[in-house]
Amino acid sequence: MSTKTQAYPTANGRRFTLDVPPAALAASRADPHGDNDIPPYMDYQHTDRLDNFTVMEVAGKSRCHGMHLEGLAYPITPIGMHYLLIHYDIPYIDEKSYQVKVDGLVKKKLTLDMDKLRSMPKVTIPATMECCGNGRASQKWRLWAHVPWNHDAIGTAEWTGTPLRGVLEEAGLQDSAVEILFTGRDKGIQGPPDGAEVQYFQRSLTVDYVMNPDNDVLLCYEINGQPLPPQHGFPLRLLVPGWLGATNVKWIDSIEAIDWRLTKNQMKWYSYAENDEDPNRIPCTFEKVRAMMIPPGIPDFLCRIRHLEETDAVELRGRAWAGGLGIQSVEVSLDGGDTWSFAKLDKPFGKWAWVGWSFTWQNVTPGEYTLRCRAKDERGNMSMDDDSAHDYYAMDIPKSQYVDVNVYPKGTLTVGNKIECPVQFPSL
């Protein structure tokens, strides 16, 4: 890569633009792994480095937050630990004047306030929610600048609201309606540099899906028995259990029955694709099968490598989920994935919620270990291997989690002791 005329931007109080020659940009898109003339701050397009997230990506991550992995100890994630992705801004909404419109291809247009919605049939569902970008930091080749999630963009909550099906039945769908379009009140600008579009956050679902009572699609106004906080969509959000987070539109402004299919903007970008113009893209829908482990021991502050003392046994625990499919098995590796052993599954507590698992690590002797876990669902789908191909937008990468652990002789981790703790990248 040439760096003769390009330099890293500095904090000098001025804006800078990614001024990339069109020919170089086209070459990079055609061959993202090639040695093209791209400035260093755009190097995310063809790299396997672990330390080059841009300041824009870090700023985006600071507006969002993942779940602390020790929070996997809770079957229902405390609200403050549940992951959050704030796509644009959190709109300020006065509940007293708030109304949601139900219109489009309906026989009776509705305007519903929160008193009306709360008077309708009330349902509570425990459901695991996962961001489309969960696991993105483990992608070998980064082809798209986005929120650099590790494995923490998850959470399970008890969501309360009224079935969307009942609202649509009251409105009366016309026969020509094929999709339901959900528009949030969060507004922003997004798209290619030469044609970014001002837009509200929108997603759609087919009429057949939302009207099927087995799918439990809700208009939610409570989380864990409390009113939705602003960052979780107050006063009303969509819940599509088992689907990746982008589908669950927050701060709903309108629900519209349409006779066409939404294919642009958020329906385009939240998809599996080989490039930005892939005509065969597949929209992100259900969460893929994944298992996660509560990291054992204690962390060092910077690298979060785990540290514990030798012992007869350590009980490893975690959670597994598969977008509404049952978990058939969870396996644990103590040697980085060379060998695997089966864990014990807890009893499920909801179709859409994760299931707990446990595994006893016996004869824990001093040394360096890399722990991993993986799951298989009822259809035989398993967590991806490391060498699996990753899509252009880095969506839903269920690569098996790594947990690096250093085990020391007894007494080493006594408070006040000094130990060597070099800065090192964790296994990804």
Side-chain angles (χ1 to χ4, degrees):
M1 176 185 297
S2 171
T3 58
K4 294 180 182 179
T5 61
Q6 300 287 353
Y8 283 97
T10 57
N12 57 13
R14 290 189 241 173
R15 299 184 184 187
F16 65 90
T17 301
L18 296 181
D19 187 15
V20 184
L25 184 58
S28 175
R29 288 173 173 168
D31 182 12
H33 308 326
D35 186 18
N36 301 304
D37 188 18
I38 299 298
Y41 48 85
M42 203 172 179
D43 189 38
Y44 64 81
Q45 285 212 326
H46 51 95
T47 184
D48 58 0
R49 291 172 57 186
L50 301 176
D51 62 345
N52 70 330
F53 291 104
T54 66
V55 67
M56 294 83 80
E57 290 174 295
V58 174
K61 184 65 164 66
S62 71
R63 285 189 53 79
C64 311
H65 74 74
M67 191 193 77
H68 317 82
L69 293 187
E70 57 269 33
L72 290 166
Y74 300 93
I76 298 298
T77 309
I79 296 174
M81 299 180 80
H82 196 289
Y83 99 90
L84 273 173
L85 189 146
I86 310 299
H87 201 90
Y88 297 129
D89 282 352
I90 301 171
Y92 175 80
I93 298 176
D94 181 1
E95 182 181 339
K96 294 179 181 178
S97 60
Y98 172 80
Q99 294 178 322
V100 60
K101 300 181 291 293
V102 182
D103 56 18
L105 299 174
V106 296
K107 299 172 184 176
K108 182 177 67 173
K109 295 183 179 181
L110 305 177
T111 302
L112 307 175
D113 60 19
M114 291 308 300
D115 287 340
K116 169 62 177 177
L117 288 162
R118 290 193 180 97
S119 72
M120 300 181 77
K122 184 176 181 179
V123 176
T124 297
I125 296 174
T128 297
M129 189 178 293
E130 178 180 23
C131 183
C132 288
N134 200 22
R136 182 176 287 131
S138 295
Q139 184 184 28
K140 182 175 181 180
W141 299 105
R142 297 177 59 229
L143 307 176
W144 188 261
H146 216 311
V147 179
W149 295 111
N150 199 341
H151 294 287
D152 50 355
I154 52 173
T156 294
E158 290 184 325
W159 302 93
T160 298
T162 191
L164 172 63
R165 183 184 72 259
V167 172
L168 296 177
E169 286 174 345
E170 182 173 334
L173 291 175
Q174 295 182 18
D175 293 340
S176 56
V178 296
E179 286 200 345
I180 306 299
L181 176 65
F182 305 90
T183 301
R185 291 197 180 185
D186 44 334
K187 181 181 180 182
I189 304 171
Q190 194 170 350
D194 59 351
E197 180 178 334
V198 181
Q199 59 193 267
Y200 287 101
F201 191 95
Q202 291 182 314
R203 291 279 296 190
S204 65
L205 291 166
T206 67
V207 167
D208 288 344
Y209 193 87
V210 300
M211 298 305 289
N212 185 337
D214 293 336
N215 296 329
D216 294 326
V217 180
L218 297 184
L219 296 176
C220 289
Y221 44 80
E222 291 181 6
I223 178 173
N224 292 357
Q226 301 180 37
L228 291 172
Q231 66 271 26
H232 276 288
F234 174 86
L236 191 70
R237 71 173 298 164
L238 182 67
L239 176 73
V240 188
W243 284 48
L244 290 160
T247 307
N248 301 267
V249 177
K250 294 183 279 190
W251 312 293
I252 294 178
D253 184 65
S254 66
I255 301 168
E256 180 183 0
I258 57 178
D259 59 2
W260 48 276
R261 298 192 183 281
L262 181 67
T263 59
K264 68 173 187 175
N265 297 348
Q266 308 307 329
M267 292 299 288
K268 173 184 177 181
W269 299 315
Y270 285 102
S271 66
Y272 306 108
E274 293 186 0
N275 56 64
D276 197 43
E277 301 302 328
D278 187 351
N280 299 313
R281 68 181 61 249
I282 301 171
C284 294
T285 57
F286 289 96
E287 300 155 355
K288 296 181 181 178
V289 61
R290 191 193 296 267
M292 292 294 295
M293 176 190 306
I294 302 170
I298 61 173
D300 63 84
F301 175 73
L302 180 61
C303 301
R304 314 307 290 185
I305 305 296
R306 309 304 296 188
H307 306 267
L308 56 86
E309 294 183 354
E310 62 181 326
T311 184
D312 292 336
V314 171
E315 187 78 358
L316 302 177
R317 295 196 62 84
R319 307 280 170 186
W321 62 95
L325 297 177
I327 295 297
Q328 184 181 94
S329 63
V330 170
E331 295 174 90
V332 175
S333 175
L334 306 175
D335 53 18
D338 291 338
T339 61
W340 297 86
S341 300
F342 286 104
K344 179 182 177 182
L345 295 179
D346 296 346
K347 183 179 179 180
F349 64 92
K351 173 183 177 180
W352 305 108
W354 56 24
V355 63
W357 60 263
S358 60
F359 177 84
T360 302
W361 178 12
Q362 297 180 332
N363 191 26
V364 184
T365 57
E368 295 183 353
Y369 300 84
T370 298
L371 312 185
R372 303 188 72 187
C373 57
R374 66 185 184 188
K376 179 188 291 187
D377 67 29
E378 63 185 57
R379 295 179 181 172
N381 301 308
M382 290 193 69
S383 305
M384 285 185 179
D385 294 329
D386 291 358
D387 296 330
S388 297
H390 297 316
D391 71 281
Y392 182 75
Y393 301 110
M395 295 296 175
D396 197 21
I397 300 173
K399 181 177 176 180
S400 300
Q401 177 191 15
Y402 288 91
V403 180
D404 294 311
V405 179
N406 294 333
V407 179
Y408 305 89
K410 290 182 178 179
T412 303
L413 299 181
T414 300
V415 173
N417 281 359
K418 308 291 185 182
I419 65 172
E420 291 187 6
C421 192
V423 174
Q424 54 188 308
F425 288 113
S427 297
L428 289 172

